[in-house]
Amino acid sequence: MEVNNHPNKFHNALSAWVKEPDSGRIAVFFALCVLLAVRLAGFGAIPGGLNQDGAMAAVDAKALAEYGTDRFGTFMPAHLRAWGYGQMSALLSYLMVPFVKMFGLSRTAVRLPLLIASVLGSIAVYGTVKKVSDERCGLAALLILAVNPWHFMQSRWALDCNLFPHMFVLGLFFLVSSLKRDCSGRNWKLYLSMVFFALCLYCYGVAFYMVPFFLLISCALLLLQKQVKWKEILICLFVYFGISWPIYGTMLINFMKWETVSLPFVTMEFFEGSVRSADILFFSENIGEQLFVNAKSLLNVVFLQKEDLLWNSIKAFGPMYRGTLPFVVLGAALTVRGAVKEKDGAKKAGCQLLLVFWICSLFTGLVINYVNINRINIIFYIHIIFAAAGVSFIAKKWKMAAYVLLAVFSFQSGMFFHAYFTDWAGEIERAFYGEFLDALEYAKDYDCGQYIITPDTQYEGAWNVTEILTLFAFEVDAKYYQGADGPGQEGELPYREKFLYSNPPEGGALPKAVYVFKSPDMDKFAGGDFNLTFFGDYSVAVPVTEPESSP
C-alpha cells in the first residue's frame, strides 16, 4: 500500500526551520524584536495626553461601536464630519471600534490600530524589498525601519492620515508579489493588492491624487511587459471600485453640492462650509506661485529635514536621521539601474513600480500646499527602501562598512530614543493637552449637575477642541450628545446644559458647578466656596458642600 508522506515532508521541513534557522532568519527575527520592543516601551503613556484629532477619531469610534453612527448620528459614514469645516478620513475610527469595545476610550485602545498597521507595513516593506532585490537588502530595510524616527513616532499616536503609507505599502507588497504567479495560476495577490489601494482613499484625502495615478502608470507598465492581462485588469477595477465607490461618491457629492445620500449600509454625506480644498494646489488663487512654495516646503521637509511640528519629528534627528540622503540617492540610482538592466522580468517590473511610487510621492508633495511630515508621509517608505538599497550595496562591496554603518545608526538611534523618552516626552505632553486631560479626569470623579470648562485650550476660544477632549475624557454617550436624555441619574440636565464651555464669570457669586479653568483665573475662587486642585496650566474648582461625594 502506498503511503502519503507529504505531511512528513512538511513536518521535517518545519522542524529543520525551527531547530536550525539560518543566519538570515535569525537577523530578521532580531530586527522584528527590536522594532516591536521600542514601539511597545511606554506605549499609551508616551506621548502623554492626546491629540485632538485622535480624540475625535476615538469619540466617533465609540459611537460607531455602540450605535453604528458617528457622534452626530450619521449612520456608517464613508467620511467623517469631524470638525465640520474640516472633515476627517474614516478608516482609523472603524479600525478603533473593536479596541474601544474591549478597552474603552483609553489612549492605548485608540493607538493600537496604527501600531499594528505600522508593524504590518514594516513586514510588507521587508517582503517587497526581498522580492525586488534580495534578503540582505530586505533585512537592511527592516533594521532601518526598526529605529527610523518617522516610523517610530507616527506609530505611537492616533492620526488618521498616518494610515495611508501603511495601506499603500501593503498594496505594493501584494502587487509586487503577484509578478510571480503561484503554481495554480491564480493571481489572487494582484486582486488583494487592490483592496489595500482602495482602502488608502479612506485614510487621507491626498490619496485621491496619488493612488489613481500610481495604478494607471503601473497598469500601463505591466501590460507592456505582459505581466498582467486585460481580464485581470478588469477584475482589479471591479475590486478597487467595489470597495472605494462610497468615498468617491462622497467626494462627488461635495464637489457638485448634491444632497446627502443614505443607503442601508453607508452614508455619503454633503458637508457645508468645507475648507479642505484650500490645502490643494489646484484650488489656489495663484497656482504658479503656490507650486514654488510647495516645492520649497517639500525640499525642506523631506530632503533637508528641517525642523517640523513637535509631534512629527525631534529637531536634532529629523524623520530619517541626518546623513541618510546620500544612501537614498544611491539607492534610487540602483533602482533605476534595476528598472533598466535587470534580467529577471519580475524584479525589473518591481524596480519600475518602486520608481513610479517615488515619482507619484514627489507629485503628491507638490500638490499639497505647505507640506509637513504627516502631509507627505507617503514618501518616507520609499526613501527608506532606497536607503536600504544604498546601505546594502555599500555593505556588500566593503564588509567593514557594514560594521561602521551599524555603529553609526546604533549611536544615532540611542540618542534619538533617549531624547524621545526624556525631554521630548515632557514637551509633547503639554502639546497634547496632558494637563488639561488630567484636570478633566479629576473633575469627572465628581458627580455634579454641571461642568463649566474653559474653551482656551489649543488657542483662546477653541471650544471645539475643548469639547472633543471633554467627550473623550467623560466618555459621553453619543445619543446624549445628540440631545437624548442622559444615561445617568433621573433628571440629569441635557448635554448642552450640563457641559458649558466658557471661563468662570467675572465678579459676583459663582454658580455651584465643577469648574475646569486656566490656573491664572484662580483669583475668581477666592471666596472659600470651592476647593481648588492644580494641574499645571489648568485647575479644577469643586464646591465645598456640593456635591457631597468625593473621588
Side-chain angles (χ1 to χ4, degrees):
M1 184 176 73
E2 184 177 352
V3 178
N4 186 348
N5 61 358
H6 290 298
N8 290 331
K9 287 182 179 179
F10 173 78
H11 179 267
N12 293 338
L14 180 63
S15 298
W17 190 92
V18 172
K19 292 178 181 178
E20 299 179 353
D22 59 29
S23 58
R25 291 195 183 99
I26 294 174
V28 170
F29 179 74
F30 170 77
L32 281 173
C33 286
V34 172
L35 186 145
L36 283 170
V38 295
R39 280 154 184 75
L40 290 174
F43 184 76
I46 301 174
L50 192 67
N51 174 264
Q52 67 272 16
D53 288 336
M56 195 287 301
V59 169
D60 280 336
K62 180 177 182 293
L64 286 165
E66 294 174 347
Y67 303 110
T69 71
D70 66 7
R71 70 184 187 277
F72 299 108
T74 302
F75 177 73
M76 297 295 286
H79 200 61
L80 296 175
R81 176 173 289 272
W83 309 105
Y85 61 87
Q87 293 78 55
M88 183 176 289
S89 299
L91 183 59
L92 180 58
S93 289
Y94 283 102
L95 293 179
M96 284 180 183
V97 166
F99 301 105
V100 169
K101 286 183 76 72
M102 286 188 290
F103 307 118
L105 283 184
S106 67
R107 281 180 295 192
T108 298
V110 303
R111 291 172 179 174
L112 275 172
L114 260 171
L115 173 66
I116 295 170
S118 298
V119 173
L120 293 176
S122 300
I123 296 171
V125 166
Y126 165 75
T128 300
V129 174
K130 182 179 176 181
K131 289 178 182 299
V132 170
S133 181
D134 55 30
E135 188 171 356
R136 180 200 300 268
C137 193
L139 176 61
L142 196 56
L143 285 170
I144 292 172
L145 279 167
V147 296
N148 175 258
W150 163 75
H151 195 271
F152 171 79
M153 292 180 73
Q154 59 78 38
S155 71
R156 292 170 61 92
W157 65 288
L159 185 65
D160 61 318
C161 67
N162 281 334
L163 274 177
F164 176 31
H166 309 308
M167 293 298 111
F168 188 90
V169 294
L170 283 165
L172 181 68
F173 166 71
F174 287 108
L175 179 59
V176 170
S177 299
S178 74
L179 299 177
K180 287 187 176 181
R181 311 301 176 87
D182 61 20
C183 58
S184 66
R186 291 180 290 111
N187 206 6
W188 61 270
K189 294 176 183 177
L190 176 62
Y191 309 137
L192 185 56
S193 73
M194 294 300 114
V195 173
F196 290 103
F197 287 130
L199 288 177
C200 288
L201 305 181
Y202 295 93
C203 297
Y204 195 16
V206 300
F208 285 91
Y209 296 92
M210 178 187 173
V211 174
F213 284 109
F214 172 82
L215 292 178
L216 208 60
I217 298 170
S218 300
C219 175
L221 284 172
L222 297 180
L223 277 173
L224 287 173
Q225 298 180 41
K226 298 183 179 180
Q227 290 283 348
V228 294
K229 302 174 183 177
W230 279 108
K231 179 182 176 181
E232 293 169 333
I233 296 296
L234 292 175
I235 297 174
C236 285
L237 286 171
F238 178 79
V239 174
Y240 177 78
F241 285 109
I243 294 171
S244 63
W245 70 264
I247 190 65
Y248 274 110
T250 302
M251 297 301 112
L252 180 62
I253 284 170
N254 282 271
F255 181 77
M256 300 300 295
K257 301 189 182 301
W258 293 338
E259 293 184 359
T260 294
V261 174
S262 298
L263 299 174
F265 52 89
V266 70
T267 300
M268 295 175 285
E269 190 173 2
F270 171 65
F271 305 106
E272 296 181 1
S274 175
V275 299
R276 284 304 188 193
S277 60
D279 296 336
I280 304 301
L281 172 69
F282 306 122
F283 299 98
S284 303
E285 292 183 3
N286 190 326
I287 293 179
E289 181 179 339
Q290 188 63 55
L291 178 61
F292 175 78
V293 172
N294 291 354
K296 184 178 179 181
S297 297
L298 180 65
L299 176 66
N300 288 335
V301 171
V302 176
F303 295 96
L304 301 181
Q305 301 192 63
K306 292 189 176 181
E307 185 176 3
D308 197 71
L309 299 170
L310 176 65
W311 41 85
N312 286 335
S313 69
I314 298 177
K315 183 177 180 180
F317 302 96
M320 287 191 62
Y321 293 129
R322 309 298 186 193
T324 56
L325 184 59
F327 299 107
V328 173
V329 173
L330 175 59
L334 293 169
T335 306
V336 171
R337 186 180 69 179
V340 175
K341 295 184 177 182
E342 176 63 55
K343 301 299 182 182
D344 185 311
K347 287 189 175 184
K348 181 177 182 178
C351 288
Q352 292 172 352
L353 291 176
L354 291 181
L355 291 176
V356 175
F357 177 11
W358 190 36
I359 292 167
C360 290
S361 298
L362 291 170
F363 169 76
T364 302
L366 295 175
V367 165
I368 307 171
N369 295 342
Y370 313 106
V371 294
N372 55 31
I373 286 174
N374 57 44
R375 288 189 170 194
I376 191 57
N377 53 23
I378 190 62
I379 205 169
F380 293 111
Y381 265 134
I382 186 61
H383 275 197
I384 288 168
I385 290 172
F386 285 162
V391 167
S392 177
F393 177 81
I394 291 175
K396 187 176 181 179
K397 291 291 184 182
W398 301 282
K399 291 186 177 180
M400 280 301 298
Y403 298 102
V404 173
L405 290 173
L406 183 62
V408 170
F409 272 100
S410 297
F411 176 76
Q412 286 185 312
S413 301
M415 295 292 290
F416 166 75
F417 288 121
H418 178 267
Y420 180 91
F421 287 106
T422 54
D423 295 341
W424 184 87
E427 295 179 50
I428 197 63
E429 185 168 9
R430 289 176 64 89
F432 278 3
Y433 316 102
E435 294 171 347
F436 180 63
L437 285 167
D438 288 342
L440 289 176
E441 290 290 341
Y442 182 83
K444 175 185 174 182
D445 288 332
Y446 289 90
D447 185 14
C448 72
Q450 198 172 47
Y451 297 92
I452 300 177
I453 303 171
T454 178
D456 302 339
T457 45
Q458 185 179 24
Y459 51 86
E460 188 174 335
W463 66 268
N464 54 349
V465 174
T466 297
E467 181 180 58
I468 204 67
L469 294 170
T470 302
L471 294 176
F472 177 89
F474 279 77
E475 299 188 46
V476 173
D477 180 79
K479 295 288 188 184
Y480 179 52
Y481 174 73
Q482 294 161 29
D485 292 336
Q489 59 192 19
E490 186 178 348
E492 185 174 6
L493 290 173
Y495 168 80
R496 302 296 171 187
E497 296 179 30
K498 183 171 183 175
F499 292 91
L500 301 178
Y501 301 104
S502 64
N503 289 311
E506 298 286 347
L510 296 170
K512 291 296 182 180
V514 172
Y515 292 83
V516 179
F517 61 96
K518 298 299 286 283
S519 294
D521 284 339
M522 61 179 295
D523 292 342
K524 296 178 181 180
F525 299 90
D529 295 330
F530 292 85
N531 290 323
L532 303 184
T533 305
F534 300 98
F535 299 88
D537 290 339
Y538 299 89
S539 300
V540 178
V542 179
V544 171
T545 55
E546 295 179 358
E548 296 180 357
S549 62
S550 60

